[in-house]
Amino acid sequence: MTHNEIRELLALHALHAVEEGEREEIEAHLDQCDDCRREIDGHRSVASLIGAQSIEVDVPDSLWTRVEAELASNVTPIRRDRVSLLAAVGVAAAMLFLVVVQTSRLTDVRAELAAADLRFAQVEQAMAAGDWTSAAEVAAEVPNARSVTLTGDGQAVITLLPDGTGFITESDLAELPSDRTYQLWIVQRGEVVSAGLLRRGATGSTFRFDPASLEGLVVTEEELAGVVTSEGPAVAAWFET
Amino acid sequence: METKAPVDETAIRQRLIDGDEQALAETYRRHSGVVLGLAQRITRNRTLAEDVAQEVFVRLWKNPQRFDPARGTLRSYLLTQTHGRSVDLIRSESSRRIREDRDATLAPLTDISIDDEVVELRMGEQIRQALEELPQTERAAIEMAYFSGHSYRQVAALLGEAEGTVKSRIRMGMTRLGATLSASGITP
């Protein structure tokens, strides 16, 4: 599209009302054109005013809990009586009475991403756009990246990047009632670490892991806000062979 | 609509970049209500709306540098993100059934607007008035795109109009609305 053709679409783009192909072309143009960037900033302000009329609703406490859960990976104690998950992952002997030893702060993530190469940037760009198929395809070209498949009652394909970023690229996990969620667990050094709650539909969920110590990944079904220790059976699992 | 004390959003952004979790908590307290409200209005589904709100705040935390105070307010940025994610969600294949259910329960177009919602605040009233002052064809196209998540091609098909006509109506309406709100001193 020409500059003028794109200008004609800026107001529509601010309403997220253009088609996918057009959106990509417009975004690429905006990176280079100050005039169009100024114009769309104005349209976006107008659009946000339209949206700001939406009534402010009461926000449930569980939402902040979900945000916090996704922000940090908490190493959680695994109690001796939580046998179902332990049995599911098959590494029971190494999972007893561990305490919180790590909180993965996203400041670390940012520092790692800042040093990432072009491929990583492309993967991140695709992830930010919610294009998980492209993200997985680009990730396949990143040295030492890999794709693993969790199997069980459901199945999920996860891309693991060497910088410790993981994301779900495909999933056929059964749809859950509104008060339930899937939770992802990382098995590392004999510990089970909550990697956070999976978004609805699972695909596109991201998490952090330690590439040097990853031994397995497990998905369980939990109550909506997630749990500190799991009593639920593994819905899908993968282990390093 | 914004009745809270002014906030130095450049400082908030820097605190987010520095990894200050309290900055995210403050932003969440200030804006989560309207973020969730907008997501709920568009998705018409509480669970999907919470998914959107969660993602918006997590993304802010992971990529705070994408918010540029020189290009708009934080509230505007968050609402833009919320709208985009909500539209993506209701357009996605996996949400097709939810969307069909949602559309089946939608009120007629003329009732989609804000008549039953926030009108007690003066700013909300002014925005509503500015929308109502638009020619009906422009207002309808904008509301169908914004609140129902339709692309301009879908709007054209639904209205039985040419795509070019709908594009022009949205463009003209947004420009007109922006001028009216700006003249009234209303900013996000």
Side-chain angles (χ1 to χ4, degrees):
Chain A
M1 284 188 284
T2 65
H3 169 83
N4 286 337
E5 288 171 334
I6 285 175
R7 276 198 71 188
E8 289 188 353
L9 289 176
L10 292 179
L12 292 81
H13 184 48
L15 297 176
H16 298 105
V18 296
E19 304 295 332
E20 182 62 32
E22 294 169 329
R23 175 162 69 175
E24 292 170 2
E25 203 168 339
I26 293 168
E27 284 295 335
H29 180 77
L30 288 172
D31 286 340
Q32 304 167 356
C33 181
D34 290 342
D35 288 344
C36 286
R37 210 158 45 235
R38 275 192 293 273
E39 184 169 335
I40 199 163
D41 286 347
H43 289 310
R44 281 176 171 155
S45 292
V46 174
S48 71
L49 284 170
I50 297 172
Q53 295 170 102
S54 296
I55 194 163
E56 290 197 31
V57 298
D58 290 335
V59 181
D61 293 341
S62 61
L63 181 56
W64 178 246
T65 303
R66 289 172 55 181
V67 172
E68 284 188 307
E70 195 167 333
L71 295 187
S73 299
N74 300 312
V75 176
T76 57
I78 300 300
R79 301 206 314 248
R80 200 179 289 275
D81 58 350
R82 304 305 193 211
V83 293
S84 56
L85 178 60
L86 302 186
V89 300
V91 287
M95 293 185 181
L96 304 177
F97 297 109
L98 296 171
V99 297
V100 175
V101 295
Q102 169 187 327
T103 298
S104 175
R105 290 177 56 86
L106 283 157
T107 46
D108 299 334
V109 177
R110 291 191 196 116
E112 291 168 19
L113 288 177
D117 61 17
L118 178 60
R119 285 293 179 204
F120 278 108
Q122 290 173 332
V123 173
E124 188 192 21
Q125 190 174 21
M127 291 169 68
D131 186 350
W132 303 105
T133 302
S134 295
E137 287 173 357
V138 178
E141 299 174 24
V142 174
N144 299 319
R146 58 179 172 157
S147 175
V148 300
T149 302
L150 283 65
T151 57
D153 292 341
Q155 183 167 303
V157 179
I158 294 181
T159 293
L160 301 171
L161 297 176
D163 74 334
T165 301
F167 56 93
I168 298 182
T169 55
E170 293 177 41
S171 163
D172 71 350
L173 299 176
E175 189 172 339
L176 295 177
S178 59
D179 61 342
R180 306 287 292 171
T181 190
Y182 287 115
Q183 188 161 354
L184 180 65
W185 304 84
I186 297 171
V187 183
Q188 59 183 29
R189 297 191 185 92
E191 304 167 3
V192 176
V193 180
S194 172
L197 307 180
L198 302 189
R199 51 189 292 173
R200 197 62 50 179
T203 300
S205 301
T206 60
F207 61 97
R208 299 286 303 163
F209 68 97
D210 178 2
S213 61
L214 181 67
E215 295 167 357
L217 295 164
V218 182
V219 173
T220 61
E221 178 189 333
E222 308 293 352
E223 62 191 48
L224 189 60
V227 294
V228 177
T229 56
S230 178
E231 295 178 279
V235 176
W238 162 84
F239 295 99
E240 195 78 78
T241 54
Chain B
M1 186 92 52
E2 178 60 83
T3 59
K4 301 177 179 73
V7 172
D8 182 348
E9 296 189 331
T10 300
I12 286 281
R13 176 181 186 270
Q14 189 56 52
R15 288 170 62 197
L16 289 167
I17 290 173
D18 292 342
D20 180 349
E21 294 171 8
Q22 191 59 33
L24 183 70
E26 289 171 19
T27 303
Y28 178 89
R29 278 196 297 274
R30 185 172 287 267
H31 300 296
S32 57
V34 71
V35 163
L36 186 59
L38 176 60
Q40 193 166 307
R41 178 161 182 172
I42 293 170
T43 62
R44 305 283 173 131
N45 180 289
R46 182 74 182 203
T47 302
L48 292 179
E50 290 185 12
D51 285 350
V52 169
Q54 176 183 348
E55 187 172 344
V56 165
F57 285 102
V58 169
R59 281 188 175 202
L60 176 67
W61 176 253
K62 289 184 177 180
N63 298 292
Q65 68 280 1
R66 288 185 182 167
F67 161 57
D68 182 353
R71 299 183 62 186
T73 63
L74 180 55
R75 191 181 191 83
S76 174
Y77 174 79
L78 292 172
L79 289 175
T80 298
Q81 298 296 311
T82 301
H83 186 260
R85 295 307 300 156
S86 298
V87 168
D88 285 346
L89 199 57
I90 63 175
R91 282 185 191 166
S92 69
E93 189 66 29
S94 61
S95 296
R96 183 182 297 277
R97 184 183 58 76
I98 292 170
R99 183 177 185 176
E100 288 169 352
D101 291 346
R102 180 190 71 113
D103 285 349
T105 61
L106 279 179
L109 179 63
T110 51
D111 289 340
I112 292 175
S113 62
I114 53 173
D115 292 348
D116 297 328
E117 300 185 352
V118 185
V119 291
E120 66 272 22
L121 295 175
R122 181 169 171 270
M123 185 169 154
E125 288 180 349
Q126 287 177 308
I127 297 168
R128 177 175 59 84
Q129 188 175 351
L131 267 170
E132 287 180 345
E133 287 174 359
L134 291 178
Q136 173 58 24
T137 51
E138 293 176 7
R139 180 187 176 192
I142 288 173
E143 290 188 337
M144 288 179 76
Y146 191 83
F147 288 120
S148 295
H150 293 306
S151 70
Y152 71 87
R153 287 182 181 153
Q154 291 171 322
V155 172
L158 289 166
L159 294 176
E161 302 278 6
E163 290 178 5
T165 303
V166 169
K167 280 201 287 189
S168 296
R169 286 177 182 169
I170 291 176
R171 192 170 63 249
M172 290 292 293
M174 288 290 285
T175 302
R176 208 188 304 270
L177 191 58
T180 303
L181 294 174
S182 178
S184 302
I186 296 175
T187 55

